[in-house]
């Protein structure tokens, strides 16, 4: 039996079908190969990328440590009755890898000073900053602060000091007034010793020559009276000007150290 030959159209259809099948098979193989390579790449580099990301996050979240590490930033101290000044030490250490220099030290009060033992500290080197408070006639609880700047680029360090100063004397009143047009009679203020040991008033001084100040002993080492006399009527100052004077009372107390207590008139 003779075999029927396909027409030209049928032949073209058969050829087209074979090409389409080959194309589909080739695309399937290509996608499969791509997927295999992608999975291999992901297994190889995905873990490394996660590790690098974790390291970056830790680096960003870890605070930068300043070069100087302070042993304490707050201190409390109590002065002795014989002290005229109070000293407190703040130790520190350079825990960085490069030298650090202290560029500025500022205190919150003119009665307070603070000085480091030197300016520049090598890595691993220790240092001390000493704060001194001049007590004067201060008493009770006093708060002070010290602002320290360094060249390491960090924020300023604030050191705090809480001082307790024993009250040795009671001066009352601290301010003496005369009303305008009133008699210029002398007025007095009383100094009473609160300490167990005697404290003596040795002299009084006035910064205005128009005022006169003197003291008298009520009880030696225990109580005194300071008498202040204002300017006479004929020695009045220009109209509208307030007349004031500071009367400094010098005392000697425990340890024979002098203190100055001021009364304003």
């Amino acid at each position: 039996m003779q075999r029927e030959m396909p027409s030209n159209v049928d032949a073209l259809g058969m050829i087209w079908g074979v090409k389409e099948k080959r194309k589909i098979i080739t695309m399937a193989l290509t996608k499969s190969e791509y997927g295999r390579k992608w999975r291999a790449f992901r297994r190889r580099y995905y873990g490394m990328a996660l590790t690098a990301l974790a390291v970056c996050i830790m680096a960003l979240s870890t605070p930068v440590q300043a070069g100087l590490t302070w042993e304490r930033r707050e201190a409390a101290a109590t002065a002795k009755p014989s002290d005229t000044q109070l000293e407190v030490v703040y130790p520190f250490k350079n825990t960085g890898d490069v030298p650090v220099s202290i560029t500025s030290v500022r205190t919150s009060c003119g009665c307070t000073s603070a000085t480091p033992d030197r300016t520049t500290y090598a890595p691993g080197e220790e240092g001390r900053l000493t704060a001194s408070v001049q007590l004067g006639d201060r008493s009770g609880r006093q708060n002070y602060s010290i602002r320290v700047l360094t060249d390491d680029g960090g924020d300023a360090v604030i050191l705090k000091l809480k001082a307790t100063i024993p009250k040795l004397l009671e001066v009352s009143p601290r301010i003496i007034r005369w009303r305008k047009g009133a008699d210029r009679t002398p007025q007095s203020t009383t100094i009473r010793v609160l300490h167990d040991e005697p404290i003596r008033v040795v002299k009084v001084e006035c910064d205005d020559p128009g005022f006169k100040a003197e003291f008298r002993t009520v009880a030696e080492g225990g109580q005194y009276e300071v008498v202040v006399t204002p300017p006479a009527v004929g020695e009045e100052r220009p109209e509208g000007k307030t007349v004031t004077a500071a009367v400094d009372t010098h005392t000697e107390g425990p340890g024979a150290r002098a203190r100055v207590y001021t009364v304003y008139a």
Side-chain angles (χ1 to χ4, degrees), residues 45-262:
Y45 295 102
Y46 188 67
M48 296 173 60
L50 285 178
T51 302
L53 180 61
V55 170
C56 292
I57 293 174
M58 290 178 63
L60 292 174
S61 61
T62 303
V64 178
Q65 187 178 14
L68 297 185
T69 301
W70 296 84
E71 184 175 310
R72 61 176 178 178
R73 297 194 181 190
E74 295 187 5
T78 301
K80 297 178 181 178
S82 58
D83 290 340
T84 57
Q85 70 176 17
L86 185 64
E87 288 191 354
V88 176
V89 176
Y90 296 87
F92 58 87
K93 182 178 181 179
N94 182 0
T95 56
D97 299 327
V98 296
V100 176
S101 297
I102 294 178
T103 58
S104 174
V105 178
R106 294 183 179 180
T107 60
S108 60
C109 176
C111 63
T112 307
S113 62
T115 308
D117 51 1
R118 52 188 170 279
T119 303
T120 303
Y121 300 86
E125 192 172 13
E126 298 179 351
R128 294 156 54 95
L129 184 141
T130 303
S132 300
V133 180
Q134 301 300 321
L135 302 183
D137 60 352
R138 297 172 181 82
S139 62
R141 294 182 178 179
Q142 308 287 331
N143 295 320
Y144 307 94
S145 62
I146 305 164
R147 186 173 184 267
V148 182
L149 275 175
T150 59
D151 64 352
D152 61 359
D155 295 333
V157 173
I158 306 299
L159 306 176
K160 296 182 179 181
L161 170 59
K162 296 180 180 180
T164 302
I165 306 171
K167 189 174 183 179
L168 303 180
L169 300 177
E170 182 180 69
V171 181
S172 180
R174 294 295 294 265
I175 299 177
I176 301 174
R177 293 186 176 92
W178 287 266
R179 295 184 180 276
K180 186 176 181 179
D183 293 337
R184 301 301 177 89
T185 56
Q187 295 192 39
S188 63
T189 183
T190 300
I191 300 176
R192 187 166 61 90
V193 177
L194 302 179
H195 193 257
D196 295 337
E197 299 183 30
I199 298 176
R200 301 187 310 276
V201 173
V202 293
K203 66 176 179 178
V204 292
E205 295 177 329
C206 187
D207 67 351
D208 189 324
F211 286 79
K212 295 180 181 179
E214 57 185 357
F215 75 93
R216 68 183 186 88
T217 302
V218 178
E220 182 65 32
Q223 185 171 329
Y224 297 86
E225 185 179 30
V226 177
V227 181
V228 181
T229 303
V233 175
E235 299 175 2
E236 291 180 345
R237 306 303 197 267
E239 185 176 357
K241 181 179 179 181
T242 302
V243 180
T244 61
V247 180
D248 292 337
T249 304
H250 298 256
T251 64
E252 289 182 349
R257 295 185 179 182
R259 292 175 181 264
V260 177
Y261 293 82
T262 302

